[in-house]
Amino acid sequence: MTRRVLIAGLGDIGVLTAIKLAKHADVVGISAKPGLVSGQELGWRLARPDEWARHNWVPFGRFRGLDRVRAVHGTLTGVDLDSRAVTVTETDGATTAFGYDVLVIATGVTNGFWRRPTLQTTDEINADLRGPHERLAAARSVIVVGGGAAAVSSAAQIATTWPTKRVDLYYPGDRALAGHHPRTWATVQRRLSEAGVGLHPGHRAVLADGFTGDELTTDPVQWSTGQPPASADAVLWAIGRVTPNTGWLPADILDEHGFVTVTPELQVPGHPEVFAVGDVAATDPLRSSARNRADGLLAGNVRAVLAGKAAADLKSYRPPKRRWGSVLGIQPDGLEVFAPNGRAFRFPAWSFERVLLPWIVNRGIYRGVRGD
């Protein structure tokens, strides 16, 4: 009898996991979107949304690896871990129960206006892409608040796309990218300065209770660190205030912050048939499993559980100590990727569209992506 794997969430890591399991089980994926809407590359999304969407907003039907996967467009509303079933409210308002033999939780996090779990149509997603871009395009000056990769890439992309704008980046520490190797920040700092971005270390913004930065604002930014307020036509908040999308899960499988508790094998303690991966999983302080391609390890462990293998046969996820990868995103002169030790290697601009995306990403990682 074919066993069912239910994947809750078809974002970046959910899609990759579904592709790897499609030939080994009856795979059902639940998604609030009608396709993959990546949470990556915020700066590219804001500055050049049409280019970003070609590679990061992909209807599920274009993925050859998902041909055997049933994608259900709906919102997860609950789970019964004892009876092994989730409940989903679909687009027509009907509530349906889906049973499973293995459940993979990959529902991610809410972060600003660019990563939300809301049920959306194609038109609503397209409007979400255009709105912030048009506001930034009309602004003569932009403040970016935050010290992570999303803030840094946004400042760089806005400055290089609209070189006549005044763009300023404010961050609380002595340097941005605190989770990366110092060598990474040294290179990125130089790139930002060359793009004309004003850098303002040691600025911690005053945030009202409950403020999440889920929209562009225009009011002056106040600082708890004593500096005078800063003003711009548009303020982008990339402050890393993420909320795990776990409201549909029981509290006893969550940590004190609402993330899913997992073992090194990415299993939920006490529930060996339930796994979690990506930003929603409390794997390590950086919750790095999605960015370190744990989909392969997870798929192997799921197959082992379906085959009835012993726990000792499962592999453990070992997170890196530092963040790595692309920081600034695709630039006119190419794509720069940083290793965990801070060393950078560059893909020249010509190779991005001719080699990296069609061969390494679309064919190698996603196992084939059809054209529009």
Side-chain angles (χ1 to χ4, degrees):
M1 182 178 67
T2 302
R3 311 290 292 281
R4 171 174 287 181
V5 176
L6 193 143
I7 299 179
L10 288 176
D12 296 284
I13 193 72
V15 165
L16 291 170
T17 302
I19 288 172
K20 285 184 168 58
L21 290 170
K23 293 182 179 179
H24 305 278
D26 170 26
V27 179
V28 175
I30 311 298
S31 174
K33 319 297 181 188
L36 170 61
V37 183
S38 176
Q40 306 302 310
E41 302 288 1
L42 174 62
W44 190 17
R45 168 177 170 153
L46 291 171
R48 291 171 286 163
D50 293 335
E51 288 182 20
W52 180 91
R54 277 205 307 274
H55 307 295
N56 294 282
W57 161 207
V58 184
F60 294 132
R62 289 181 54 196
F63 291 102
R64 297 184 188 277
L66 294 181
D67 286 349
R68 301 186 185 190
V69 175
R70 178 185 175 189
V72 177
H73 190 190
T75 301
L76 289 149
T77 54
V79 61
D80 188 325
L81 296 176
D82 294 326
S83 63
R84 299 190 183 186
V86 301
T87 53
V88 178
T89 300
E90 300 188 54
T91 53
D92 60 1
T95 297
T96 306
F98 291 87
Y100 62 82
D101 295 290
V102 170
L103 171 64
V104 176
I105 301 168
T107 44
V109 296
T110 297
N111 187 7
F113 55 79
W114 57 94
R115 297 178 72 182
R116 298 178 183 176
T118 50
L119 191 67
Q120 288 185 302
T121 65
T122 295
D123 289 343
E124 289 168 337
I125 293 169
N126 291 335
D128 267 2
L129 292 178
R130 299 305 307 178
H133 168 77
E134 291 170 357
R135 287 191 60 185
L136 289 171
R140 293 168 300 175
S141 57
V142 177
I143 285 174
V144 182
V145 183
V152 168
S153 72
S154 296
Q157 292 279 355
I158 292 167
T160 54
T161 300
W162 296 292
T164 61
K165 293 188 192 301
R166 191 191 84 224
V167 180
D168 291 281
L169 175 66
Y170 291 84
Y171 45 95
D174 294 333
R175 66 179 181 93
L177 302 179
H180 293 69
H181 194 283
R183 192 179 290 121
T184 299
W185 171 239
T187 301
V188 170
Q189 183 181 30
R190 186 168 61 253
R191 300 275 188 269
L192 291 168
S193 296
E194 291 170 352
V197 176
L199 301 177
H200 306 273
H203 285 68
R204 186 175 296 279
V206 175
L207 304 176
D209 290 342
F211 179 76
T212 58
D214 59 356
E215 62 180 12
L216 296 171
T217 61
T218 57
D219 292 336
V221 182
Q222 310 286 333
W223 310 106
S224 64
T225 38
Q227 299 90 348
S231 299
D233 292 338
V235 180
L236 170 64
W237 300 85
I239 52 179
R241 284 202 166 184
V242 302
T243 302
N245 297 323
T246 54
W248 60 285
L249 293 169
D252 60 0
I253 68 169
L254 308 179
D255 69 8
E256 66 273 23
H257 304 294
F259 296 92
V260 182
T261 303
V262 291
T263 68
E265 294 72 35
L266 303 181
Q267 290 174 298
V268 173
H271 299 277
E273 76 287 351
V274 181
F275 293 78
V277 68
D279 289 332
V280 76
T283 52
D284 60 284
L286 299 178
R287 298 189 310 280
S288 62
S289 59
R291 289 174 290 278
N292 289 283
R293 295 302 311 278
D295 51 285
L297 181 148
L298 172 65
N301 285 351
V302 169
R303 293 197 299 270
V305 167
L306 291 174
K309 293 185 178 181
D313 294 320
L314 275 61
K315 295 182 179 179
S316 298
Y317 173 67
R318 294 180 175 83
K321 295 181 180 179
R322 297 185 184 275
R323 294 190 187 277
W324 66 282
S326 167
V327 174
L328 299 179
I330 180 66
Q331 296 284 315
D333 59 350
L335 177 69
E336 201 165 28
V337 178
F338 295 88
N341 65 4
R343 303 289 184 188
F345 55 95
R346 177 179 294 278
F347 293 92
W350 66 266
S351 71
F352 187 73
E353 294 282 355
R354 298 182 194 175
V355 179
L356 181 62
L357 284 174
W359 293 99
I360 297 177
V361 177
N362 290 351
R363 183 163 297 190
I365 295 177
Y366 286 111
R367 300 185 181 178
V369 179
R370 300 179 179 92
D372 295 338

